[in-house]
Amino acid sequence: MGGAEAVGGRKARSAETEAALKEAAKRVFARSGYLNAKITDITTEAGRAAGSFYSHFTGKEQLLEQLLLDMLAEGDEQVEDPAHSADFTDPAAVRWHVAAYWRFVTANREVILALQQAAMVDERFAERLRLLMEPTLHDIADHLEHIRRAGGRLPGDPLVVATAMAALMSQFAVTWLLGGAPQGRELGEREAVDTLTAFIVHGITGPPPGPPGTA
Amino acid sequence: MGGAEAVGGRKARSAETEAALKEAAKRVFARSGYLNAKITDITTEAGRAAGSFYSHFTGKEQLLEQLLLDMLAEGDEQVEDPAHSADFTDPAAVRWHVAAYWRFVTANREVILALQQAAMVDERFAERLRLLMEPTLHDIADHLEHIRRAGGRLPGDPLVVATAMAALMSQFAVTWLLGGAPQGRELGEREAVDTLTAFIVHGITGPPPGPPGTA
DNA sequence: TGTACATCAGTGAACGCGCGTTCACTGATGTAC
DNA sequence: TGTACATCAGTGAACGCGCGTTCACTGATGTAC
């Protein structure tokens, strides 16, 4: 070995810088937005020289790509708590999914916001996000189809209702977690999850009039 | 007068060019997106020289600002059909609002998309959009408050539920009208309005269990 | 263990591309007499 | 109605700013003998 004071050798130093750049990027994205962020903003925030950036990434897009992969890797570790139901007529099942989504967005706000911005400008990121969402969308649609077969009434075609649910959750999260919330009103996780869950449970369940299915 | 072949004089000619630039801008925004659109893309599309742009606008932002004002002016002409109810327990009232919104977005997709993109990069546009939404949001919240006072149960605080409704409608519209819809599935106005209406009506109305309020 | 050389992470000044913006010019429209 | 001049919309080549990207250089880490 021989490293005088530095903890590790060259590899470790390189990894440190790469991590510093990624963390700096998240902070800069959160502050100025992905599209406004300059490469030198990121390197300055990380306390490195401009040229250093290109030893680790080919450009801003690839850096974001890496952040996306990191996010998904972490997400996969957490998700899939075995003990959760997929029966959306059970409010607890809906709540579980809503809460998981809310926590995911909270934990990854910078990256998610950056991805949305990138998708507005770069068709490749837009397509990427669409492909990421698709399985989830069909998964939800399947659950809804199940409700319908069990005699429940849906507000429309399962796939369309699934996009409505996704739209509701994602934009609601944008409003309260990413964008500027209306005039300083704050929203805790508890209230957010409660409201979304109730809205969705009633929204996808058939209309109240008619013989009430006693829960 | 004396104009040889041109229909009008200088003012008319100027107005023509300005209109041509605005229309060209909408087409370019729809094709490449607001953020990717270059000034010369717009002038070329309009069949004018690059310098011409600055006789009419100070920059891309001000052009978008004009398109926004045009959109709002047209919107004000149409909206406020006197014969519509504000009682959201009446599905017909909800449907009326949803349909109006859907038609508005359909008619103004390019500008709305451009505004969303601009808001991602320019805080002034973001603030502008927030201020545009606020009255509508409080209006909806008031209607919901009314339901609550009449004994109905809401999924949460009226203002929060109002943002949920707005989130649902706007992102659903983005999904099906502006962004790429999932794998080629098409959605007609009828189906869109039906699904949204049903989802919202059930979503904001209290839970089925308990004494059913006979509609 | 010690010396000489190779490799590599990081540096930061400089380069150059893309594009917004300007401006001297043109030809047509409007005004004065 | 006719002539001389003023104004203005539009032109497009050229300028220059901002920023991404490069590259010769430095000093430290690793390797050979």
Side-chain angles (χ1 to χ4, degrees):
Chain A
M1 49 181 72
E5 41 183 339
V7 186
R10 291 214 272 237
K11 263 196 204 148
R13 187 155 130 84
S14 172
E16 254 173 55
T17 298
E18 188 165 317
L21 287 172
K22 283 186 188 173
E23 289 309 307
K26 285 192 205 169
R27 268 175 273 133
V28 173
F29 292 168
R31 194 195 313 136
S32 330
Y34 172 78
L35 295 173
N36 285 326
K38 289 152 206 70
I39 301 286
T40 50
D41 290 345
I42 298 172
T43 52
T44 301
E45 173 81 22
R48 317 284 153 141
S52 172
F53 187 90
Y54 297 92
S55 305
H56 299 275
F57 312 101
T58 61
K60 207 164 59 161
E61 303 82 26
Q62 203 222 323
L63 166 57
L64 180 56
E65 186 80 28
Q66 295 289 357
L67 293 177
L68 169 60
L69 293 177
D70 291 354
M71 181 179 81
L72 293 177
E74 274 187 37
D76 284 347
E77 285 174 22
Q78 299 169 357
V79 177
E80 298 323 323
D81 180 335
H84 79 271
S85 159
D87 174 13
F88 280 5
T89 54
D90 175 12
V94 172
R95 159 174 277 277
W96 188 91
H97 284 274
V98 169
Y101 178 76
W102 195 261
R103 267 182 257 112
F104 180 75
V105 176
T106 305
N108 300 284
R109 31 178 122 206
E110 310 96 337
V111 178
I112 290 174
L113 188 57
L115 284 167
Q116 287 182 347
Q117 296 194 352
M120 305 242 84
V121 158
D122 189 332
E123 182 51 38
R124 292 194 318 260
F125 274 109
E127 180 66 13
R128 186 66 174 270
L129 284 187
R130 237 175 276 134
L131 290 176
L132 267 177
M133 274 295 97
E134 217 170 87
T136 312
L137 227 43
H138 280 94
D139 195 45
I140 298 180
D142 285 347
H143 295 343
L144 294 173
E145 186 70 61
H146 176 78
I147 293 181
R148 171 170 280 178
R149 276 198 305 273
R153 285 181 60 190
L154 293 179
D157 177 76
L159 182 60
V160 177
V161 176
T163 63
M165 275 181 58
L168 171 57
M169 292 203 294
S170 72
Q171 190 60 31
F172 190 78
V174 168
T175 304
W176 292 102
L177 290 177
L178 308 182
Q183 76 279 327
R185 171 81 151 77
E186 285 291 328
L187 195 71
E189 175 177 327
R190 182 64 193 276
E191 186 177 4
V193 174
D194 282 352
T195 306
L196 274 181
T197 302
F199 198 117
I200 290 173
V201 167
H202 304 150
I204 62 180
T205 322
T214 325
Chain B
M1 45 182 76
E5 41 183 339
V7 187
R10 291 213 271 240
K11 263 195 204 148
R13 186 154 131 83
S14 173
E16 253 172 56
T17 297
E18 188 165 319
L21 287 172
K22 283 186 189 172
E23 289 308 307
K26 286 191 205 169
R27 269 175 272 131
V28 173
F29 291 168
R31 194 194 313 136
S32 330
Y34 172 77
L35 295 173
N36 286 325
K38 289 151 206 69
I39 302 287
T40 50
D41 289 343
I42 298 173
T43 52
T44 301
E45 173 82 21
R48 317 283 154 142
S52 172
F53 186 90
Y54 297 92
S55 306
H56 299 277
F57 311 101
T58 61
K60 206 164 61 160
E61 302 82 27
Q62 202 222 323
L63 165 57
L64 180 57
E65 185 81 28
Q66 295 289 357
L67 292 178
L68 169 60
L69 293 177
D70 292 355
M71 180 179 82
L72 293 178
E74 274 186 37
D76 285 347
E77 285 173 22
Q78 299 169 356
V79 176
E80 298 321 326
D81 180 334
H84 78 272
S85 160
D87 175 14
F88 280 3
T89 55
D90 176 11
V94 173
R95 159 174 278 277
W96 187 92
H97 284 275
V98 169
Y101 177 76
W102 194 262
R103 268 183 256 112
F104 180 74
V105 176
T106 305
N108 299 285
R109 29 179 123 204
E110 309 96 338
V111 178
I112 291 174
L113 188 57
L115 285 167
Q116 286 182 347
Q117 296 196 352
M120 305 244 84
V121 159
D122 188 332
E123 181 52 38
R124 291 194 320 262
F125 274 109
E127 180 66 12
R128 187 66 173 271
L129 285 187
R130 237 175 275 134
L131 289 176
L132 267 178
M133 273 296 96
E134 216 170 88
T136 312
L137 227 44
H138 280 94
D139 195 46
I140 298 180
D142 285 347
H143 295 343
L144 295 173
E145 186 70 61
H146 176 78
I147 293 182
R148 171 169 280 179
R149 276 197 306 272
R153 284 182 61 190
L154 293 180
D157 177 75
L159 182 60
V160 177
V161 176
T163 63
M165 275 182 59
L168 171 57
M169 293 204 293
S170 71
Q171 190 60 29
F172 189 78
V174 167
T175 304
W176 291 102
L177 290 177
L178 308 182
Q183 75 280 329
R185 171 82 152 76
E186 285 290 328
L187 195 72
E189 175 177 329
R190 183 65 193 277
E191 187 177 3
V193 174
D194 283 352
T195 306
L196 275 179
T197 301
F199 198 118
I200 290 172
V201 167
H202 304 151
I204 64 180
T205 323
T214 325

